[in-house]
Amino acid sequence: MDNIEPLSYPLNKSPESLATHGNRFSFEIERKKGFVEKVPSWVYKVLVSIIALSWITTYIASKNTLQELYETQKEEKPGTVKLDEIVVELSNASKYRRTMQSNIIQESNKKEALKAFGPGPHFVRFTVEFPDDETVGIFEIRLAPLNLMPHAVNTFLKQVSKKLWDKTVFWHHDGVDHVIQAAGIHYRTGETKHHHFDAMDVGALSFGEYSADMPHKRYTLGFAGRGPEFYINALDNTEVHGPGGQGHHEYEDEADPCFAEIISGFDTVNQMNAIQLKQSKEAARRKDWHDNELTHIVQVEILSQ
C-alpha cells in the first residue's frame, strides 16, 4: 500500500499550493475507500469467526487450568504440596529462625550477667519519696532466675548498675489501676533520660522475652513492651500482659517481659497504688500530665547476695 505524505501547511506556502495538498489528500482517501469496498463480505465473516474461535479456545484453556489447580488442592496426591502447607512451612521456618536468634541473645546475656553480677538470685532495693508528705518508703524485689529471663534480667541489672533509674519517677496515670508505671524522666526537671539508656546500650530489649514460669501476677515487675520503661503489676495481669494479650508486639508469641517479683515493702507499693487510685478520682481538675502525681524514685541499688 502506497505511503501517504503527512499533511503540512508551512506559512510560506501559497493558497494554490495548499489547494494542491488538499486535493491529493482527498484522492488518497477515496482510493483506499474503493479498495476496502472491493473486499468480499465473506472475508470479513471468516476473520470474525477466527477471532471469536481464538477467544473461546483461550477461555476454555484457562478454565481447564484453573480446574486442574483446584483439583490438585482438593485431592490428597502423593508429592503434592498445597499452598496452605507452603504458608505453614514458611511461618514455621520464620519462627524457628527467630527462636534461634532469641536463644543466641539469651545465652550471650546469661554469660554477661554471670560475669558481672554472679549466678544469683539477684535482689534490688527501691527507695522512693511520696508526693503528699515527702515521706520515704522502701521495697525490695527478687529478679527471675537467669535460666528463665536472662535478657530482661541482665538488661535491668545493667540499668540499675549505671544508676539510670535514680532520680526518676513512678508516674501515676489517670484511670489506670492495673499497673504502677515507672518512667525514665528526671524527677526535678522532667527531662527524658532515654538518650542515656540508648547511649549506654541498655535501652529496649531485642525481643519480647517471656517465660510461662514468670507470669504477670500481682506484685511482679514487667517491661512495658521491650522497655526501657517498666511497671509494677497492681493486679493479676497474667492474661492481659501475656502472649497475645496486647497488640503492640511484633509477633503473637511475644509478651511484656515479666522479670521480677516484690518480696518486701508491700505497704510502700500499696501506698503508691492508693495515690494512683486517688488521682483517677481527681482526673477532671488536671489538664495535662504535668499535673499528675509523681512518686520520686530516689535510688535503685543492687543488693549483695
Side-chain angles (χ1 to χ4, degrees), residues 127-130 167-170 187-188 294-298:
T127 301
V128 299
E129 186 178 71
F130 296 108
K167 298 181 175 61
T168 58
V169 301
F170 281 108
Y187 174 69
R188 297 296 181 188
L294 302 174
T295 294
H296 179 197
I297 301 177
V298 179

Side-chain angles (χ1 to χ4, degrees), residues 93-103 251 253-254:
S94 175
K95 186 175 181 180
Y96 175 76
R97 184 168 57 253
R98 288 193 292 107
T99 300
M100 293 298 294
Q101 293 172 343
S102 299
N103 289 343
Y251 303 102
D253 56 344
E254 288 190 336

Side-chain angles (χ1 to χ4, degrees), residues 232-246:
I232 299 172
N233 286 298
L235 302 174
D236 188 340
N237 296 313
T238 300
E239 296 296 328
V240 178
H241 290 174
Q246 297 175 305

Side-chain angles (χ1 to χ4, degrees), residues 246-263:
Q246 297 175 305
H248 60 254
H249 292 287
E250 187 174 357
Y251 303 102
E252 292 183 357
D253 56 344
E254 288 190 336
D256 283 5
C258 185
F259 61 89
E261 60 181 340
I262 295 171
I263 58 173

Side-chain angles (χ1 to χ4, degrees), residues 59-77:
Y59 169 75
I60 293 174
S62 300
K63 185 177 180 181
N64 290 339
T65 301
L66 292 173
Q67 184 67 24
E68 290 175 2
L69 288 173
Y70 173 77
E71 293 299 332
T72 300
Q73 293 291 319
K74 186 177 179 181
E75 298 177 1
E76 293 290 343
K77 295 182 179 180

